[in-house]
């Protein structure tokens, strides 16, 4: 089977499985993952973290508690903003000023002073990750295009059942350096 076709089949499988999670399982798993993220060696002392705002309707891991804690500790948090087929970023200072952007994802305002290379770590969303760090995203290629030119540690928080032995990958795909599960 063509890797692209297999990836679409797997995306459907993982999306359906996420949506079938009970509220309690999603909440408990997200809480446990936040604790593991906060103690992960790459993130424990990172002062500048690029993260993502979770999409609740897709049952993405709810990392908001970790983001709030890091912000309260005085760390600088950045969030992605979709502009065309690229990701730019804005500083996360208060969730009440986030606005719905592309795909309905909440976003801050663009900050022209942002630099990917100044980040200590980048949190990357995924539907699944394999043991070699190949990630299955939603299929838009936003993070693959971004990470192809960035040399910063990447951390992908996923539920334990989203960690799989292997995933199909193509020449344009980029691996993550760390996976955190709960």
């Amino acid at each position: 089977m063509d890797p692209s076709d297999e990836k679409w089949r797997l995306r459907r499988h993982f999306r359906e499985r996420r949506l079938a999670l009970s509220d309690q399982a999603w909440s408990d798993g997200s809480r446990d993952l936040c604790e593991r993220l906060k103690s992960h060696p790459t993130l424990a002392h990172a002062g500048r973290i690029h993260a993502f705002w979770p999409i609740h309707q897709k049952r993405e891991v709810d990392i908001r508690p970790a983001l709030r804690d890091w912000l309260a500790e005085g760390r600088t948090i950045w969030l992605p903003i979709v502009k065309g087929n690229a990701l730019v970023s804005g500083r996360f200072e208060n969730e009440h000023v986030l606005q719905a952007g592309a795909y309905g994802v909440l976003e801050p305002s663009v900050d022209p002073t942002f630099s990917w290379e100044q980040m200590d770590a980048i949190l990357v969303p995924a539907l699944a990750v394999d043991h070699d760090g190949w990630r299955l995203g939603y299929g838009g290629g936003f993070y693959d295009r971004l990470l192809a030119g960035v040399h910063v540690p990447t951390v992908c928080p996923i539920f334990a059942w989203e960690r799989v032995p292997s995933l199909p990958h193509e020449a344009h795909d980029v691996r993550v350096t760390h996976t955190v599960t709960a």
Side-chain angles (χ1 to χ4, degrees):
M1 180 179 283
D2 178 286
S4 182
D5 292 340
E6 178 67 4
K7 286 164 71 174
W8 283 109
R9 186 190 69 74
L10 288 168
R11 283 184 184 103
R12 184 173 47 254
H13 166 77
F14 284 106
R15 281 193 308 259
E16 288 172 359
R17 189 151 177 208
R18 263 194 191 168
L19 292 175
L21 285 175
S22 70
D23 290 344
Q24 190 67 49
W26 175 69
S27 177
D28 290 349
S30 292
R31 184 190 61 242
D32 293 346
L33 248 165
C34 280
E35 292 306 313
R36 290 184 186 215
L37 279 174
K38 291 190 300 184
S39 64
H40 190 275
T42 302
L43 298 165
H45 302 290
R48 295 174 310 268
I49 302 169
H50 192 280
F52 60 90
W53 197 257
I55 305 171
H56 288 238
Q57 302 88 326
K58 293 184 177 183
R59 290 284 199 200
E60 284 185 332
V61 173
D62 187 0
I63 62 169
R64 294 177 306 164
L67 299 178
R68 290 177 189 126
D69 288 349
W70 289 331
L71 198 60
E73 293 170 5
R75 301 184 198 206
T76 306
I77 307 297
W78 300 84
L79 297 175
I81 301 165
V82 176
K83 291 290 182 195
N85 69 350
L87 293 179
V88 297
S89 293
R91 191 165 172 178
F92 171 57
E93 295 176 348
N94 181 327
E95 63 192 86
H96 303 292
V97 298
L98 298 176
Q99 296 181 16
Y103 308 103
V105 177
L106 293 178
E107 303 173 337
S109 298
V110 174
D111 187 332
T113 66
F114 176 80
S115 167
W116 289 105
E117 295 299 332
Q118 291 178 355
M119 295 299 101
D120 296 317
I122 300 172
L123 291 177
V124 182
L127 289 164
V129 178
D130 74 14
H131 294 296
D132 292 324
W134 295 112
R135 157 188 170 277
L136 182 68
Y138 291 106
F142 290 99
Y143 279 92
D144 289 318
R145 284 189 296 278
L146 161 73
L147 297 175
V150 175
H151 306 288
V152 174
T154 51
V155 179
C156 192
I158 56 171
F159 297 110
W161 54 268
E162 294 172 318
R163 177 79 184 243
V164 296
S166 67
L167 287 169
H169 54 276
E170 299 169 273
H172 64 271
D173 292 329
V174 177
R175 294 185 223 202
V176 293
T177 54
H178 306 281
T179 305
V180 176
T181 63

